[in-house]
Amino acid sequence: MRYPTRSESIVAILAGITAVVGSFAMAGYTRSFVMQPVDDFVVNTTPGVISQFMIENVGQAAHHLHRALSVLILVGLFGVFALGGFAVARRFDTAVAGIGFAGLGSWALTVALTGEPVLALGSSVPVALFTAIGTVPQPIEPTSSRRRVLAASAGAIGFVGLGLGAGSLLHESELEIDEQVPGIEGEAIEQQFQQARNQELDVASDELPGLVSTIDNFFRTSISDFDPTIPSEDWTLTVTGEVGMDTEIGYEQLTEMPIEHRTMTLRCVGESLNGKKLDTAIWTGTPIRSLLDSVDPDGECGCVMLHGEDGYYVQFPVDVLEDGFLAWGMNGQPLPRKNGHPVRLLVPGHWGETNVKWIETIELLEEPADGYWEERGWEGTGPVNTVAKLWEEGVTELSNGRVELAGHAYAGTRAIESVEVSIDGGETWNEATLSVPLPDEDVWRMWRYEFEPADSHEIVVRATDGNGNLQEQRRSSPSPSGATGWVKRTING
Ligand SMILES: Nc1nc2c(c(=O)[nH]1)N[C@H]1C(S)=C(S)[C@@H](COP(=O)(O)O)O[C@H]1N2
Ligand SMILES: [Mo]
């Protein structure tokens, strides 16, 4: 054995890069892309303390870090196959053996990772090609060796450009949802939209969401960067575990059940106090209760583990699940992929993590067990904390010189009773105007307050829930069980 030469190393890296791009060209940014299992592995094996730190301090940019690391790992793995190919070619003195080794090896690796034998050609062909480039007999003159590396680099750059283009263009339509979905149109949902529009507070800012968030703006929290693509005809929900016999329901059966539209708010336990992982949509679906008829809720622990097709799982009491809702429509559209297409669970009043997307299994448990986030130190399966938000876009200087403050407040099924605003750092408090509550049991309300500014103001907002409990004043971080404290914002007059 000898160390690879510098030009061999460069060609191997190029092989690695083009292999990842080739897989992307074949699969797009789907769960068949070779990056998915590696990225999920990186994310899932990151210790809880680190992911908690990243979620709270780095935020969205942290995603670029794990993506970059995943690509790096893959470039390394495929590169090693190319280097192995060079070694095999030397050992047996034939390029074909080396090319075969590198090509077959990287094909097998890709199939093992993705389970897609045909799409795996996307990564293995480039590795074989670059191994071929690297195994043609070394020219005697160093300049021509350099020229070869240059040509390989130019080829790789061209390949990367084409591959990235193909990957994003060719698979665009696969990622779109082109399905007829029962019950999402009609009078009932129109009326619900109309009511939400009518009851929205009239605020000066047009950036501030109304009572219903748009699908594009609705936050997304998912353990995987890669949303599952599940055609609704392939979807089933299985109830299993301590239930005697497993039951299974398909999409058609589900959507034949009584259809309801529910306006519901979701909030992620991981968001900062004044964060934006709080949104509301009008969901179309059916209550889950009748599906659980055959289930004995008084089993040993009275708890269930729910599983999503992306490998996500969360555990909470059956009693809580019984009030749940299975949704296949969102704002009059088929449920989008990012929000759980074709079917997700919605649990009234509980933290976002209980609302399993791409739901596939309900497992009745003998004993309680930790869900995905609980294994990582969170305690986010209970009812949400009360919060009144004052986002950046909620502060507007009006043309008459007054300042308008507006925002949203949420307390799950306890509902919002009142919102108070202080413009003097909490010395004195004023009642904000609230939007008329929507009839649904788990929705936010909008609030608005206007004042005459003088110098600078420390604004503080706080909500009281329907039980008469004031929002917790003590500040705490999102982990483990949701941020507490009152939102403050300084305004310079
Ligand atoms: N299958 C699955 N369901 C999931 C998650 C996930 O990663 N996978 N994330 C949960 C979390 S932590 C939250 S806050 C909500 C977010 O729902 P949204 O992405 O539709 O806003 O989905 C929950 N359901
Ligand atoms: Mo969450």
Side-chain angles (χ1 to χ4, degrees):
M1 279 298 279
R2 62 160 175 79
Y3 286 113
T5 64
R6 186 207 292 226
S7 56
E8 278 175 340
S9 306
I10 294 173
V11 173
I13 291 169
L14 295 176
I17 293 169
T18 50
V20 177
V21 172
S23 171
F24 176 72
M26 293 291 274
Y29 209 70
T30 67
R31 293 184 78 78
S32 304
F33 177 25
V34 70
M35 188 179 150
Q36 179 266 324
V38 175
D39 194 57
D40 281 5
F41 176 81
V42 168
V43 170
N44 294 339
T45 52
T46 301
V49 278
I50 296 180
S51 64
Q52 231 167 57
F53 177 85
M54 293 302 228
I55 289 167
E56 288 175 12
N57 299 286
V58 184
Q60 287 305 110
H63 290 295
H64 297 308
L65 285 177
H66 66 73
R67 281 177 204 139
L69 180 58
S70 310
V71 170
L72 220 63
I73 290 172
L74 280 165
V75 168
L77 286 172
F78 288 118
V80 163
F81 276 106
L83 289 179
F86 301 150
V88 168
R90 261 198 316 276
R91 173 79 176 73
F92 297 98
D93 207 14
T94 150
V96 176
I99 297 165
F101 171 86
L104 279 177
S106 45
W107 180 80
L109 171 70
T110 311
V111 176
L113 288 170
T114 63
E116 298 277 2
V118 177
L119 299 185
L121 293 173
S123 56
S124 52
V125 169
V127 176
L129 266 172
F130 278 88
T131 309
I133 294 173
T135 46
V136 289
Q138 283 290 315
I140 302 154
E141 269 192 276
T143 38
S144 75
S145 152
R146 202 172 304 144
R147 212 172 287 148
R148 217 164 282 265
V149 169
L150 276 177
S153 307
I157 290 169
F159 185 92
V160 166
L162 285 176
L164 292 181
S168 28
L169 290 176
L170 294 179
H171 304 281
E172 212 168 16
S173 64
E174 280 165 43
L175 300 178
E176 276 166 17
I177 296 162
D178 175 26
E179 284 179 348
Q180 292 294 324
V181 169
I184 56 171
E185 282 165 32
E187 188 101 355
I189 194 161
E190 242 339 289
Q191 268 173 12
Q192 211 149 325
F193 266 115
Q194 198 53 51
Q195 180 170 22
R197 269 192 294 267
N198 292 343
Q199 290 180 203
E200 238 160 67
L201 288 184
D202 192 11
V203 296
S205 158
D206 20 281
E207 311 272 283
L208 196 72
L211 284 172
V212 178
S213 314
T214 62
I215 286 182
D216 284 349
N217 287 341
F218 202 101
F219 77 95
R220 165 190 183 275
T221 307
S222 300
I223 57 165
S224 174
D225 233 30
F226 298 83
D227 295 328
T229 317
I230 311 169
S232 52
E233 70 261 24
D234 295 347
W235 178 87
T236 57
L237 174 62
T238 307
V239 183
T240 181
E242 304 298 310
V243 277
M245 212 171 45
D246 289 6
T247 51
E248 192 182 275
I249 185 169
Y251 188 77
E252 210 173 317
Q253 246 177 310
L254 181 77
T255 52
E256 276 165 5
M257 293 174 62
I259 293 178
E260 285 178 25
H261 309 290
R262 287 193 189 178
T263 308
M264 269 172 101
T265 303
L266 247 59
R267 183 180 181 204
C268 180
V269 69
E271 72 151 5
S272 58
L273 179 63
N274 200 27
K276 302 202 93 174
K277 293 189 165 191
L278 172 70
D279 276 301
T280 300
I282 302 178
W283 310 89
T284 301
T286 193
I288 199 170
R289 192 175 293 269
S290 64
L291 289 182
L292 301 174
D293 277 351
S294 54
V295 165
D296 175 13
D298 306 318
E300 281 297 306
C301 73
C303 55
V304 277
M305 184 73 86
L306 299 113
H307 301 261
E309 140 67 45
D310 57 339
Y312 180 78
Y313 46 97
V314 61
Q315 184 246 211
F316 52 83
V318 184
D319 291 352
V320 172
L321 179 64
E322 287 194 320
D323 294 328
F325 188 73
L326 289 169
W328 58 82
M330 182 179 184
N331 288 356
Q333 302 289 319
L335 193 62
R337 282 178 67 235
K338 74 175 173 80
N339 304 101
H341 181 83
V343 180
R344 81 173 303 165
L345 178 69
L346 294 165
V347 178
H350 288 244
W351 289 111
E353 61 166 83
T354 58
N355 299 262
V356 181
K357 305 190 277 188
W358 315 287
I359 188 169
E360 60 175 14
T361 317
I362 297 174
E363 185 192 356
L364 273 284
L365 297 183
E366 185 83 57
E367 282 168 23
D370 279 340
Y372 180 94
W373 287 116
E374 280 50 50
E375 279 179 347
R376 288 160 180 79
W378 294 83
E379 294 163 17
T381 60
V384 293
N385 296 345
T386 300
V387 71
K389 301 274 186 180
L390 176 53
W391 292 321
E392 198 84 44
E393 62 269 36
V395 183
T396 316
E397 209 188 305
L398 304 174
S399 52
N400 60 7
R402 290 168 71 82
V403 169
E404 178 190 75
L405 304 173
H408 295 74
Y410 179 56
T413 52
R414 299 184 301 278
I416 288 293
E417 181 65 39
S418 65
V419 171
E420 292 165 286
V421 180
S422 170
I423 57 169
D424 54 13
E427 295 278 310
T428 58
W429 293 91
N430 315 278
E431 288 275 331
T433 308
L434 282 176
S435 58
V436 177
L438 288 168
D440 301 82
E441 64 161 350
D442 179 26
V443 277
W444 63 12
R445 288 174 81 175
M446 286 179 78
W447 63 266
R448 181 185 183 279
Y449 181 73
E450 202 187 296
F451 70 99
E452 192 76 49
D455 288 343
S456 77
H457 292 271
E458 194 184 8
I459 311 292
V460 194
V461 289
R462 63 183 193 190
T464 298
D465 72 14
N467 298 338
N469 293 320
L470 184 62
Q471 179 177 335
E472 164 83 63
Q473 179 178 13
R474 189 182 49 87
R475 277 210 163 239
S476 72
S477 66
S479 66
S481 49
T484 60
W486 295 343
V487 172
K488 291 188 177 146
R489 184 175 279 276
T490 304
I491 290 173
N492 295 311

